[in-house]
Amino acid sequence: MTKIVDATAYLVDIEVERLRTDAVQSFLRQETVFVEVTTDDGNTGTGYSYTIGTGGMSVLAMLREHLLPRLVGADAALVERIWADLFASTRATTVGAITSLALAAVDTALWDLRCKRAGEPLWRLAGGFRRRVPLYDTEGGWLHLSTDELVRGAVASQAAGWPGVKLKIGKDRIEQDVERLHAIRDAVGPGMDIMVDANQSMTYAEARRRAAAFEPLGLAWFEEPLPADDVAGHVALARSTVIPVAVGESLYSMAQFRAYLEQQAAAIVQVDVARIGGITPWLKVAHLAESFNVDVCPHFLMELHVSLVAAIPNGRYVEHIPQLRAVTHSQLRIEDGHAVAPDTPRLGIDWNRDAIDNRRRG
Ligand code: MG
């Protein structure tokens, strides 16, 4: 038994590397909540979670006041047991974003320790399917960028051998979205995946109308067309278009994914390891998707998701949005349009402790 002797949490603001806008928000800074769990054999596991700007202090309070005191004395190897006990102790606030984000910070720290004990990198310990996974770019597709800028970004991605690019949509008029998409398709030709993302901004009627206008473009997927709790709307939309519907970045429990999958409302599952509550439930959602013959293309957090997509047979893509470079010594390794999972026996993120300390807010 490796007993947990200490557990701490703190919050760090990480600036974005460039302005990121979509149909409903701007991403200006990442609130990053770190958890460090120390065991009686002298090892410390580092986990983390995030918000794109609000609620980070609430996650920190949940950890400090409620979750972390329950960890001391527990066997760090019993990751499932710890997750279940912490979840059960938060019944008044589950299922909910703040609690899931807090659980994720703990769970990823426990997986960091688990990898260290096993002497294996995360991608192998979590399943071990393939080390290199296809990468698509979102960083060149933000809503405020001009058509020329979008085209330049997509052409550069293609020249670098990347298999896909994603474009934020939800301009005021449908013709604006269509014009931007056509410009990209004309520039890259038919052999590249183009995804679109509406960030839950549309009504069913508008999403159906836009999907019909997009169909000649051969899109790889239509992401978050509707509010995430409108499962019935997604069911109807999925039946009305040949474009695969992608959801998952705004879902916080396995049961929410099951509801989408069993009604064939999700053709792509975008489970986010922070928002679902950590690696432990992430893997369950990924395996659930496999049972429905559905691929997993997780949302954001490429530094962690590269190892998880590499762990599973139905992982199709990692999303390229660099966000941790200011606080890490390591960088995502990219080869021929593929992300390469780190081979170090931890989560594979080499944190820059000085840079982290300089950005602490809580
Ligand atoms: Mg999205």
Side-chain angles (χ1 to χ4, degrees):
M1 169 166 170
T2 41
K3 199 157 92 177
I4 296 173
V5 294
D6 191 30
T8 59
Y10 50 93
L11 182 128
V12 169
D13 284 326
I14 304 175
E15 61 277 17
V16 297
E17 294 186 15
R18 60 183 301 179
L19 176 65
R20 298 176 180 140
T21 62
D22 60 42
V24 296
Q25 65 209 335
S26 293
F27 181 7
L28 302 173
R29 64 172 182 186
Q30 174 175 287
E31 295 180 313
T32 312
V33 179
F34 286 93
V35 162
E36 292 187 5
V37 175
T38 302
T39 48
D40 59 2
D41 58 0
N43 283 315
T44 296
T46 301
Y48 73 106
S49 189
Y50 78 99
T51 86
I52 65 168
T54 53
M57 292 302 282
S58 304
V59 177
L60 189 61
M62 171 65 84
L63 284 161
R64 283 181 176 164
E65 293 177 15
H66 190 74
L67 298 179
L68 297 188
R70 291 166 193 273
L71 288 177
V72 176
D75 183 345
L78 302 189
V79 178
E80 287 276 4
R81 177 60 184 265
I82 290 171
W83 200 97
D85 284 351
L86 293 182
F87 185 80
S89 78
T90 53
R91 290 223 185 272
T93 57
T94 55
V95 168
I98 300 296
T99 306
S100 285
L101 293 169
L103 287 169
V106 174
D107 186 75
T108 48
L110 295 177
W111 273 88
D112 193 38
L113 282 168
R114 174 181 262 184
C115 292
K116 168 77 175 157
R117 278 196 310 275
E120 291 278 11
L122 178 60
W123 80 273
R124 287 167 60 94
L125 198 63
F129 187 74
R130 57 174 171 176
R131 194 170 168 207
R132 283 167 40 129
V133 295
L135 190 65
Y136 77 88
D137 187 52
T138 296
E139 194 75 328
W142 303 107
L143 196 63
H144 66 278
L145 298 176
S146 69
T147 302
D148 281 350
E149 289 170 317
L150 295 174
V151 168
R152 274 203 297 277
V155 168
S157 294
Q158 187 177 41
W162 295 28
V165 289
K166 189 160 83 189
L167 176 76
K168 296 292 183 178
I169 58 164
K171 288 287 190 186
D172 291 341
R173 296 201 54 79
I174 194 168
E175 295 79 10
Q176 295 170 282
D177 282 344
V178 171
E179 181 265 331
R180 290 155 66 84
L181 279 165
H182 266 295
I184 294 174
R185 179 56 84 202
D186 289 348
V188 301
M192 188 174 202
D193 280 343
I194 301 174
M195 304 77 162
V196 296
D197 185 358
N199 290 89
Q200 309 182 67
S201 64
M202 296 180 186
T203 62
Y204 164 72
E206 187 61 23
R208 188 177 171 191
R209 195 169 151 253
R210 297 215 184 196
F214 299 157
E215 281 197 357
L217 289 151
L219 300 182
W221 71 66
F222 187 174
E223 176 173 327
E224 287 203 312
L226 311 175
D229 53 7
D230 183 7
V231 183
H234 284 89
V235 171
L237 183 68
R239 287 183 184 149
S240 77
T241 179
V242 298
I243 306 174
V245 172
V247 295
E249 72 177 77
S250 306
L251 302 183
Y252 294 88
S253 75
M254 258 196 301
Q256 290 172 349
F257 281 95
R258 189 187 67 192
Y260 271 92
L261 286 163
E262 65 190 1
Q263 296 177 81
Q264 295 186 302
I268 301 287
V269 156
Q270 301 187 289
V271 54
D272 176 316
V273 65
R275 292 176 174 179
I276 194 64
I279 294 166
T280 301
W282 191 98
L283 289 168
K284 294 176 185 179
V285 171
H287 299 326
L288 178 71
E290 185 188 2
S291 78
F292 283 91
N293 195 26
V294 166
D295 285 339
V296 174
C297 304
H299 166 248
F300 191 43
L301 292 185
M302 62 181 196
E303 298 85 355
L304 200 46
H305 282 142
V306 60
S307 298
L308 297 179
V309 172
I312 59 169
N314 55 326
R316 180 161 138 208
Y317 262 126
V318 166
E319 177 174 26
H320 180 257
I321 306 179
Q323 177 56 35
L324 295 183
R325 288 193 284 210
V327 295
T328 51
H329 296 299
S330 53
Q331 277 200 34
L332 181 72
R333 195 165 136 201
I334 300 173
E335 293 174 0
D336 306 325
H338 288 66
V340 183
D343 230 2
T344 48
R346 286 252 186 205
L347 299 185
I349 302 170
D350 185 8
W351 300 106
N352 179 339
R353 303 286 169 177
D354 291 338
I356 288 173
D357 285 346
N358 291 339
R359 290 167 173 79
R360 269 180 77 150
R361 178 155 56 94

